[in-house]
Amino acid sequence: VEPGLPALARLGIVGAGQIARMTYQAALKLGITPRLLAERIDDSAALVASDVVIGHPDSVAGFADTCGVLTFEHERLDVGLLERLEEGGRVIRPGTRTIRAAFDKIHQRRILTNRGFPVPAFAEITGPDDVFDFASVFDWPIVLKRARAADQDAKGVWIVENQAEALRVLNEQNRHRMLAESFVAIASELVVLIVRRPGGHVRVYPVTQVTNVDGVCREIVAPAPVAPATAEAARTLARRIADELDSVGVLAVELFLTAEGLLVNELAARPHNAGHLTIEATPTSQFENHIRAVLDLPLGPTWPSCPAAATVNVISGIESTDPSANLTEALAVEGAHIHLYGKRAGPGRKLGHVTALGSDPDEALAVARRAESALLGRRPW
Ligand SMILES: Nc1ncnc2c1ncn2[C@@H]1O[C@H](COP(=O)(O)OP(=O)(O)OP(=O)(O)O)[C@@H](O)[C@H]1O
Ligand SMILES: [Mg+2]
């Protein structure tokens, strides 16, 4: 390690949900104990970490004073504050230029459009007239989104069929910045994870395909069942975006595959739900590579170490079953890798995930689905 690199400085992680929990677990393996800024003592990562500061994300300045390198597991951040910290010499990774591009969907779309990346048609919505105008050009249904990430597990995307539905959503969300998007006929949703070190060394993970139900990510398979040329185009696009934003750490690029080609849906400058299967399916997980990248350490290989893999998210239903009560049944599913986040059950909450490997995506998916059904006390598919 060259002198001056903060590789062995204390790593601070802002946020303590399941992404931070799995990042923390990967750090421990390397003998690194990150310090966490958690909002609550029972946050998923706070439950397993030994070095936890409880505080609002806005108290990040004081937290940063105690860390050598700062990274983040979510986008609910005051970017202006982070910029001032960066100007003051704090090491923030990814840098605020990348964070700024990821934290606000309107800003993100503008940045991507200005640089020639393909995105769905969009407009900022400041009132009912903007919706009316947008729908008169792009037709119903349209998609309304909150510009800033909603709280964990809360809804931030609505597909609305008419003016009345749109107004209802706008009224409910009237304290938030909103955008409208044209409703895209999506053939397949792909996510490319790319990890980048300061200075630009990158590794790209195999392209995954995600299945969303009601705008919520349910299942992920790798490799994505798309033409090799499509997968290559997706990887190239992600790499160009990462270079353009000078990202550091994991950048997740969510793409829509349409009849006309690829569109960029959104970016997340952190490990991503679609990459949980890298724990079992690649030599270096997205979490470990995120740590390596933000600490400017050599990146690990990202090639597939098995023919196929699948993840099924464990999402609490209205009955709020505690999945850990069903471990006996779930662990009886041979080949299922069970990950539970230690969160309290509640409708719509992501409580864990199951990954399985297989000779093809469907075989892996069948195993993961069986274990997920067992965890939620449902009959298998
Ligand atoms: N313009 C669109 N046309 C059609 N479907 C869309 C559009 N935008 C979003 N969706 C659907 O809604 C999902 C969630 O949208 P988006 O990724 O923007 O929100 P999100 O709040 O970040 O969700 P997540 O955190 O689960 O990624 C998409 O993955 C897609 O299935
Ligand atoms: Mg998304």
Side-chain angles (χ1 to χ4, degrees):
V1 176
E2 295 164 40
L5 290 181
L8 297 175
R10 180 185 279 125
L11 174 63
I13 303 177
V14 177
Q18 62 263 21
I19 299 284
R21 177 169 165 129
M22 288 182 272
T23 306
Y24 183 87
Q25 286 164 338
L28 285 187
K29 175 172 158 272
L30 302 177
I32 296 165
T33 308
R35 173 168 288 178
L36 302 185
L37 180 60
E39 286 179 68
R40 276 173 304 271
I41 196 81
D42 64 346
D43 283 347
S44 180
L47 292 171
V48 298
S50 60
D51 188 359
V52 183
V53 176
I54 304 292
H56 190 269
D58 288 349
S59 66
V60 65
F63 181 71
D65 286 341
T66 71
C67 302
V69 176
L70 215 56
T71 191
F72 309 88
E73 77 134 16
H74 59 67
E75 290 91 30
R76 302 187 302 280
L77 306 161
D78 179 342
V79 187
L81 180 58
L82 296 181
E83 279 164 349
R84 289 195 293 283
L85 292 176
E86 201 171 54
E87 279 158 23
R90 294 271 166 250
V91 181
I92 292 181
R93 291 184 171 160
T96 54
R97 184 157 155 244
T98 312
I99 294 173
R100 208 170 247 301
F103 89 116
D104 178 300
K105 286 182 182 175
I106 297 170
H107 186 64
Q108 183 181 116
R109 286 250 183 287
R110 287 185 184 137
I111 286 178
L112 291 169
T113 308
N114 291 345
R115 284 163 180 73
F117 294 107
V119 300
F122 73 100
E124 181 169 2
I125 299 298
T126 53
D129 288 348
D130 292 336
V131 179
F132 195 70
D133 181 54
F134 191 82
S136 72
V137 179
F138 295 101
D139 238 341
W140 304 100
I142 63 169
V143 183
L144 292 176
K145 295 185 180 181
R146 270 172 64 168
R148 298 289 308 267
D151 284 346
Q152 228 196 354
D153 300 325
K155 191 178 165 83
V157 174
W158 298 264
I159 295 165
V160 292
E161 299 289 341
N162 53 50
Q163 186 79 3
E165 274 183 39
L167 292 184
R168 186 181 49 74
V169 172
L170 287 185
N171 276 332
E172 273 171 24
Q173 302 295 321
N174 70 350
R175 290 176 304 113
H176 302 291
R177 255 158 69 76
M178 302 286 292
L179 71 156
E181 281 181 16
S182 60
F183 180 79
V184 176
I186 302 170
S188 175
E189 286 198 52
L190 308 178
V191 180
V192 186
L193 292 165
I194 186 155
V195 61
R196 194 168 178 280
R197 236 179 124 169
H201 181 226
V202 296
R203 300 251 191 179
V204 190
Y205 283 94
V207 180
T208 60
Q209 182 186 52
V210 306
T211 307
N212 288 280
V213 179
D214 294 330
V216 176
C217 177
R218 290 271 164 186
E219 297 180 339
I220 301 102
V221 297
V226 295
T230 303
E232 213 30 60
R235 284 159 59 100
T236 304
L237 188 55
R239 202 186 162 127
R240 281 177 46 218
I241 293 173
D243 284 340
E244 193 68 56
L245 298 179
D246 196 20
S247 74
V248 172
V250 171
L251 182 75
V253 180
E254 298 184 7
L255 300 166
F256 294 154
L257 179 61
T258 74
E260 285 79 45
L262 293 166
L263 294 176
V264 183
N265 172 37
E266 65 163 340
L267 310 175
R270 53 170 169 74
H272 187 276
N273 195 164
H276 295 354
L277 51 71
T278 61
I279 295 173
E280 288 87 6
T282 65
T284 325
S285 76
Q286 62 165 347
F287 304 104
E288 179 171 338
N289 259 340
H290 184 73
I291 289 161
R292 292 187 189 206
V294 300
L295 293 178
D296 204 8
L297 295 165
L299 302 178
T302 53
W303 57 66
S305 40
C306 56
T311 292
V312 176
N313 284 326
V314 178
I315 299 175
S316 192
I318 38 166
E319 57 293 341
S320 296
T321 307
D322 175 5
S324 57
N326 295 319
L327 262 184
T328 308
E329 292 77 8
L331 290 175
V333 179
E334 196 112 352
H337 299 271
I338 301 204
H339 299 257
L340 294 177
Y341 307 148
K343 290 161 73 175
R344 223 172 339 95
R349 299 198 82 204
K350 215 173 268 179
L351 304 178
H353 73 268
V354 182
T355 295
L357 310 181
S359 52
D360 63 64
D362 286 339
E363 185 188 291
L365 199 50
V367 174
R369 282 176 178 173
R370 272 212 304 286
E372 180 259 3
S373 296
L375 286 168
L376 292 177
R378 280 196 268 97
R379 261 194 308 271
W381 291 52

